[in-house]
Amino acid sequence: MPRFPSLPRVSIVVPVGDVLSDFETSLVSVLEHLPADAEVIVTHDGSYDDPFDLAEEVRFASTGSSDWGDLIRVIGSEARGRFVHLIGGGVRATDGWTAAGIEPFDDPEVGMIASVLRSERGEIVSVGWRDTEARLGEPVLAGSDRFDRRLAARAMAPSLFASFWRRETLRGLSGRYRGSDVGEAEYALGKLARLDGWRCEVATDCETRLEGDLLATDRPAFRRGQTRRAIHQRLHGGSWADALLAAGRGVLAAAIGRGGFGEALGQAAAIRVAADIKARVKPNAVESLPAERIVPIGHRGRSPVRRAA
């Protein structure tokens, strides 16, 4: 039987992704720096067979598919920790990273937390993402050498594979996004959590590392712009003329090195995937939740309350 704390404070979830070497990099780093109050859960689509015999150190949970909707559902049912940490895609843990990562949860309105993700050279890769006129889901402080609290405060949601969540926050997202694309899932889940009233904070003393200098979810691409604009329209409304205007601003931004021309043009073509996104992204909860959960009010200065789901 796996040796885990009887009641872990943090459930560290390491999904087996498309690039097996990236998964192994993340998992090894977690096991090398594993705190005493944490459990490790490896999620997979049913095809991973534990070639390194790690059953005594981690719990394996099959999602049955590569769909992020199934992954969130399994995390909600399997995680025993009050807080859930998602790490993967080649992101590496460091000493004491979970203790620093959950500190902002002292604020009951915070439902998701971004770590400070740096490259091996020390440059910031991301401290979460935000929407700008240049890009939707633009990584905050990317390429900076120094951490800036004022700019970091603009983060709307964390990068999915360097993130901390309240278990209740993830459970509230169950059934509301279907899809296997991690970048699309990152944008949709962050948006949905904010619609629920949860805030994002950056754990300033929590640092994780990435061998490269860019997350795969942040690479400019036509599809990236297309799906993010369609998700934005689905959740926030607006006309498709607005999408064309945003595409024009994106082209200007690409000309000065922010984003890419293809991604900007993707925003203009978002209407082509609107029906698909509408079927896969649900603004409201569609599955039953536990009898009680923390529900944020969504206003500064007011505390969340408990209510029946």
Side-chain angles (χ1 to χ4, degrees), residues 28-248:
V28 168
S29 74
V30 165
L31 295 177
E32 287 177 342
H33 299 92
L34 186 63
D37 63 350
E39 65 173 351
V40 181
I41 302 173
V42 168
T43 59
H44 59 98
D45 62 7
S47 61
Y48 191 73
D49 59 0
D50 186 19
F52 302 108
D53 296 323
L54 295 173
E56 290 190 357
E57 298 178 73
V58 307
R59 285 200 292 134
F60 292 90
S62 174
T63 62
S65 75
S66 60
D67 194 292
W68 274 87
D70 292 330
L71 176 64
I72 296 303
R73 173 182 54 78
V74 168
I75 291 174
S77 62
E78 292 290 329
R80 297 185 299 140
R82 182 181 178 189
F83 308 117
V84 174
H85 175 40
L86 274 167
I87 183 170
V91 176
R92 293 194 294 107
T94 59
D95 287 336
W97 95 107
T98 59
I102 63 176
E103 282 183 3
F105 284 132
D106 288 343
D107 182 339
E109 291 190 0
V110 173
M112 47 189 166
I113 295 170
S115 68
V116 180
L117 179 61
R118 292 184 182 270
S119 69
E120 292 297 337
R121 297 194 306 256
E123 293 181 346
I124 294 175
V125 176
S126 169
V127 294
W129 55 263
R130 67 185 181 113
D131 289 342
T132 68
E133 289 190 353
R135 299 181 77 191
L136 295 177
E138 183 174 66
V140 177
L141 285 177
S144 301
D145 293 322
R146 294 174 52 198
F147 181 82
D148 186 315
R149 289 178 181 271
R150 181 180 59 85
L151 294 179
R154 298 178 182 178
M156 298 174 64
S159 299
L160 200 55
F161 280 160
S163 60
F164 294 82
W165 303 76
R166 289 188 191 274
R167 187 176 56 193
E168 292 84 359
T169 306
L170 287 177
R171 285 179 173 175
L173 297 175
S174 181
R176 295 167 64 188
Y177 170 76
R178 310 296 307 191
S180 58
D181 184 271
V182 62
E184 191 179 288
E186 175 177 289
Y187 191 69
L189 294 172
K191 285 279 190 180
L192 289 167
R194 288 185 65 87
L195 283 179
D196 287 349
W198 294 111
R199 290 197 295 109
C200 174
E201 289 288 339
V202 176
T204 58
D205 295 324
C206 173
E207 291 204 354
T208 48
R209 294 280 175 170
L210 185 72
E211 288 186 2
D213 55 8
L214 186 69
L215 287 165
T217 54
D218 292 333
R219 293 193 182 102
F222 180 92
R223 178 73 178 176
R224 186 184 192 277
Q226 186 180 40
T227 56
R228 277 165 174 72
R229 175 53 60 180
I231 292 169
H232 188 278
Q233 299 283 101
R234 167 69 168 140
L235 298 178
H236 301 291
S239 69
W240 292 109
D242 295 331
L244 293 175
L245 288 173

Side-chain angles (χ1 to χ4, degrees), residues 280-293:
R280 295 191 292 110
V281 178
K282 307 296 182 183
N284 301 311
V286 296
E287 292 184 1
S288 60
L289 298 174
E292 282 193 340
R293 66 184 177 95

